[in-house]
Amino acid sequence: MSILDSLPDQPEEDPSPESPTPHNHWLDKEQQLMPPQLKADAPLRMVETAFLASTASLIWFINFYFPLGPVLRIFFPVPIALVYLRWGKRAAWMAALTSGLLLTVLMGPARSLLFVMPYGFMGVLLGATWYRRVPWIVSITLGTLLGTLGVFFRLWLLSVLSGEDLWIYVITQVTEFIEWVFFSLSLLASPSVFLIQVGAIALIVLNNFIYLFVVHLAAWFLFERLGNPIPRAPHWVEVLMDYEG
């Protein structure tokens, strides 16, 4: 019998995966020492929300002191609506609140309220309707109602701050317009007070309806290029704009 035969038998290596190898042992230690990774979209959501909120505030700030006509006014609710489409309801409300706080620091609480109501709320409303893919007529109608309430809120707040009833100024302007219409139609009757009141409200509603329609057009062209498209426009709008989607 040889010496090799007299040596004790060495235990066979267990091929089961339960026996840790040195390489796997070091990997387990490294995994234990590594801190838990945060979600990558958390800081991006915070940065985009803050950036778009400051963009909305800056658009209002520039238009207030350096008015450029209706161009900048179209984009008042657009950044907050974009926040809703990209990050949801909570981020949109945070963007509206942040915009209001920033404008409070820059312009005072009264002027910041004029932005938050209706344009801050309008951005959240439009973002919610666009996110749910509702038709344009629904989102425009809801935005028109909110915009009309915003006009009366603005008149009430400015009347309180100035100590004068600004609704009388609106009624005077509408009266002159209706009288011009009556004169153009060769009508000898004078408009009643009720007709003037209804005409004033109708003009406010019509103005907001046209404004919301233009906002939808701007968002339709802009958001599709940003990768967050809103619902498609009605067919007659696509034909009118000669749009090929």
Side-chain angles (χ1 to χ4, degrees), residues 107-115 157 161:
M107 307 173 66
R111 292 172 181 173
S112 67
L113 286 176
L114 296 179
F115 171 79
L157 181 61
L161 295 177

Side-chain angles (χ1 to χ4, degrees), residues 16-191:
S16 64
E18 297 179 356
S19 58
T21 61
H23 180 68
N24 294 334
H25 180 68
W26 285 108
L27 287 178
D28 294 339
K29 284 188 175 181
E30 290 178 0
Q31 292 176 357
Q32 293 176 0
L33 295 176
M34 289 177 60
Q37 295 182 354
L38 298 176
K39 293 183 179 180
D41 59 347
L44 181 60
R45 178 174 63 248
M46 181 177 62
V47 171
E48 284 194 4
T49 301
F51 175 76
L52 291 172
S54 60
T55 301
S57 303
L58 184 61
I59 293 174
W60 172 267
F61 182 84
I62 294 175
N63 186 79
F64 190 88
Y65 290 105
F66 308 100
L68 301 176
V71 178
L72 290 180
R73 187 169 177 263
I74 296 173
F75 297 96
F76 286 167
V78 169
I80 298 176
L82 181 59
V83 173
Y84 197 110
L85 291 178
R86 292 184 62 83
W87 301 110
K89 176 176 64 176
R90 183 175 181 273
W93 282 113
M94 290 299 297
L97 177 62
T98 304
S99 300
L101 294 176
L102 182 58
L103 289 174
T104 301
V105 175
L106 296 176
M107 307 173 66
R111 292 172 181 173
S112 67
L113 286 176
L114 296 179
F115 171 79
V116 175
M117 179 64 185
Y119 299 108
F121 294 152
M122 188 179 294
V124 178
L125 174 64
L126 293 178
T129 54
W130 292 341
Y131 182 80
R132 289 167 175 79
R133 321 305 293 178
V134 301
W136 277 31
I137 186 62
V138 177
S139 56
I140 291 177
T141 302
L142 294 177
T144 300
L145 295 176
L146 181 58
T148 303
L149 293 177
V151 171
F152 287 106
F153 175 80
R154 185 182 301 112
L155 291 173
W156 170 80
L157 181 61
L158 295 178
S159 298
V160 171
L161 295 177
S162 63
E164 298 180 0
D165 190 1
L166 298 182
W167 179 248
I168 297 178
Y169 173 77
V170 176
I171 292 299
T172 303
Q173 300 297 319
V174 174
T175 302
E176 294 179 357
F177 175 75
I178 294 180
E179 288 180 350
W180 175 81
V181 172
F182 275 42
F183 179 77
S184 300
L185 298 177
S186 300
L187 297 177
L188 300 179
S190 59

